[in-house]
Amino acid sequence: MDEEYDVIVLGTGLKECILSGVLSVDGLKVLHMDRNDYYGGESTSLNLVQFMMANGTLVRILIHTKVTKYLNFKAVDGSYVYNKKKIYKVPATDVEALKSPLMGLFEKRRARKFFIYVQDYDENDPKSHEKLDLNKVTARELISKYGLEDDTIDFIGHALALHKDDSYLDQPALSFVKRMKLYAESLARFQGGSPYIYPLYGLGELPQAFARLSAVYGGTYMLNKPECKVEFDADGKAIGVTSEGETAKCKKVVCDPSYLSDRVKKVGKVARAICIMSHPIPDTNESHSAQVILPQKQLGRKSDMYLFCCSYAHNVAPKGKYIAFVSAEAETDNPEAELKPGVDLLGTVEEIFYDTYDRYVPTNDHAADNCFISSSYDSTTHFETSVNDVIEMYSKITGKILGMPLEVVVERKTAVEERNYIRSSTPRILTGGCGSALQWLQEAHSYGLFRQGGDKTLRELDLSVDLSAASASAEDE
């Protein structure tokens, strides 16, 4: 503790771990602390309901930082939308629109024309704009040009563009179109049944992977550190963190809202249900994993409800078991009644657990106090909103823009070289931790870090390799 750091990060949630990793890669000296004796904070598998767009911002960060070497993924089998009390597959292209039972014959033709416009739209090619300036034209005005019905607008805006409510309709259409294109690009990237991917062994793998990235670049970790108190100087600027009578000095503090509760405000509450079943969600083509979005209008709500199911196929449950998450922005004080429309879609549920948590956003002036506080996770079932917060925080902390090229060239290592690389990057767990270097190496093997490799060659990283395999660990030794 008797050292000075560029940044002290408090909490090992996903956002904090991403920042810890990328700041360490930037060459900053980082100390990462958590009051818990485990990694993940609010990002542990049972506490978070999100997952990832296959061509989205988080995947770009995973590839850019090479964190993919610590993770295996599988595609989510299906993407669905709730409409008129039934579940339908989400059409994402002009071809799928023509086949979808969501729309009648004439509506299919109108929707097809709209999908073609979106697919062909190129921000840098005025010819594709059809004389529309999407920085000025609202989403509502763009959609009205194609005469689409309300139900069609509902699934396009909420299940494709992934907007949480209808406020997007009166905002510039450019973001709306970009979101639709991201969905289609993500769907096409791995040619699966949905645009989403999900990590094997659950979401808790994500923060741990970024924690390892930080450790590789010299980051220091301290778990099980109670009462982490941020210290300020006479000018109100953060200068360190005290725990168990010791103070580590720093220039900046990054944390989740729970560590500086006097500098955040409550902006809402999320209600969720965690359900254990022995079958997939009905009407999802027997999918081992699937997302269902329930648009607000279909439920008479102010915001959407989200349903996600994963199973033993992602190594998060015993053979034959499925885990479903139902989440929504709480609009009442009765989560059981509020989440009932989503729970009712699950069929027979063996066990169900209800929970609510408050959402907070920072109210401090980071330039004045050198404290950078993340926002709480919302009810959405994709990571785009969370990663946008990370990117914004990174810019505030460093004054730079986080660069995330989609494709990077990486070096394939032989099995022996990979082992030596991991051993040389063992994280320093100084006090109060729940593990050791040896334990970490054992975990690394179980996570499939020690993969067999061929000759040492340079090639483009192909994330689809990870998606096709459950785990390499059983085959490596």
Side-chain angles (χ1 to χ4, degrees), residues 78 86 88 96 101 130 139 155 163 178 186 197 235 263 290 312 315 328 362 370 397 407 440:
K86 291 185 179 180
Y88 297 90
E96 289 189 346
E130 295 188 5
F155 84 75
H163 286 289
K178 283 184 174 180
S186 297
I197 60 176
D235 296 324
R263 294 166 193 249
Y312 60 94
N315 297 348
N370 286 343
I397 295 166
E407 301 296 340
W440 188 78

Side-chain angles (χ1 to χ4, degrees), residues 96-133:
E96 289 189 346
L98 288 175
K99 299 177 180 178
S100 175
L102 271 169
M103 299 170 283
L105 178 61
F106 295 110
E107 181 68 358
K108 286 180 179 180
R109 293 177 180 174
R110 290 188 289 266
R112 179 176 181 271
K113 291 181 181 178
F114 178 66
F115 279 126
I116 290 175
Y117 169 79
V118 171
Q119 289 165 202
D120 292 344
Y121 183 86
D122 182 345
E123 196 172 359
N124 299 314
D125 181 9
K127 292 181 181 178
S128 69
H129 297 180
E130 295 188 5
K131 299 180 180 180
L132 295 173
D133 183 352

